[in-house]
């Protein structure tokens, strides 16, 4: 499924330093280069995340906190091709976003979504993403718990039926798929609990049914 997972690079107006562990995890934001004539005074931040192909029309699923407020979104595919993407839908209450690339000339391979009733504790869990900018990193573990409820990071809303996993989830995995052994998406990696800002074996994924 690696060709169906993408690396997302976002440029946005600078308004924070690093990432807030009280919010869903993301790659630490770093000052980016400012193309002449494109950016106004000040500087921009760059952040990274992951996503996966949803359909052949060019729709890609990721997290809201990866792309929200973006001025420029670039999607890189496994073969090295990088294209621009635009936001077409945001649901902050579930931290799920949909972005879109121009599918003309692209051979896109959508991933299959699994139903929540097929997910069980002890099931093998596989994450593919871009932790700390290390593209297409695969980590494995099990489904540690199901039915968790976590804060969406948007007001007072919570996300139900969340999947907990001990597969290593780190900043940059945000928006990437959590898969079963058949390669079906069981969830979208979105948060971790960690005081060290790295995997402590407690990661959360929004279920694919949501």
């Amino acid at each position: 499924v690696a060709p169906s997972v993408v690396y997302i690079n976002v440029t946005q107006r600078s308004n924070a330093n690093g990432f807030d562990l009280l919010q869903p995890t993301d790659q630490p934001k770093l000052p980016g280069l400012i193309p002449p004539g494109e950016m106004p005074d000040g500087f921009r931040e760059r952040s990274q995340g992951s996503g996966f192909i949803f359909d052949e029309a060019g729709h890609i699923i990721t997290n809201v906190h990866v792309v929200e407020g973006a001025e420029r979104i670039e999607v890189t595919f496994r073969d090295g091709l990088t294209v621009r993407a635009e936001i077409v839908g945001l649901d902050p209450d579930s931290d799920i976003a949909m972005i879109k690339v121009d599918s003309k000339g692209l051979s896109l391979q959508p991933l299959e979504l699994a139903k929540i009733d097929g997910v069980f504790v002890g099931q093998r869990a596989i994450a593919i993403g871009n932790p700390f900018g290390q593209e297409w990193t695969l980590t494995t573990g099990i489904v540690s718990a199901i039915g968790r409820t976590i804060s969406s990071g948007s007001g007072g809303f919570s996300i139900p039926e969340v999947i907990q996993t001990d597969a290593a989830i780190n900043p940059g995995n945000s928006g990437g798929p959590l898969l079963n052994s058949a390669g079906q998406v069981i969830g979208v990696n979105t948060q971790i609990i960690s005081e060290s800002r790295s995997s402590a074996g407690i990661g959360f994924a929004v279920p694919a049914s949501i």
Side-chain angles (χ1 to χ4, degrees):
V1 303
S4 301
V5 179
V6 300
Y7 179 49
I8 299 175
N9 198 328
V10 175
T11 304
Q12 60 189 169
R13 184 183 299 274
S14 176
N15 57 12
N17 293 317
F19 59 85
D20 184 353
L21 282 179
L22 297 178
Q23 300 296 323
T25 61
D26 195 10
Q27 181 76 2
K29 297 179 173 65
L30 303 174
L33 297 177
I34 303 174
E38 183 172 326
M39 304 293 186
D41 293 340
F43 67 91
R44 296 293 186 269
E45 294 173 340
R46 286 192 174 181
S47 59
Q48 294 84 38
S50 305
F52 63 89
I53 298 171
F54 180 72
D55 61 24
E56 294 180 354
H59 292 100
I60 292 169
I61 297 294
T62 185
N63 285 147
V64 169
H65 74 266
V66 171
V67 297
E68 188 174 31
E71 294 186 353
R72 182 185 180 96
I73 302 172
E74 293 181 334
V75 170
T76 300
F77 295 93
R78 187 71 176 90
D79 61 4
L81 176 66
T82 298
V83 298
R84 292 282 297 272
E86 302 293 337
I87 296 172
V88 295
L90 298 173
D91 181 15
D93 296 342
S94 64
D95 196 25
I96 295 297
M98 179 174 282
I99 60 177
K100 189 178 188 300
V101 299
D102 184 353
S103 62
K104 186 177 181 180
L106 301 179
S107 178
L108 302 179
Q109 303 175 40
L111 292 183
E112 182 181 353
L113 305 185
K115 296 181 179 179
I116 189 65
D117 57 10
V119 179
F120 56 89
V121 174
Q123 179 181 20
R124 188 178 187 190
I126 303 159
I128 301 180
N130 306 289
F132 301 109
Q134 303 304 303
E135 300 96 330
W136 290 276
T137 294
L138 182 147
T139 56
T140 66
I142 62 169
V143 172
S144 304
I146 57 177
R148 297 295 199 205
T149 299
I150 60 173
S151 170
S152 67
S154 173
F157 291 95
S158 296
I159 308 172
E161 300 299 326
V162 169
I163 300 167
Q164 180 181 328
T165 181
D166 67 350
I169 305 294
N170 286 292
N173 274 116
S174 295
L178 186 67
L179 308 155
N180 60 22
S181 57
Q184 298 170 319
V185 178
I186 61 175
V188 181
N189 299 316
T190 187
Q191 294 188 30
I192 60 173
I193 293 178
S194 175
E195 294 183 356
S196 65
R197 300 184 177 184
S198 60
S199 177
I202 303 179
F204 300 106
V206 178
S209 56
I210 289 182

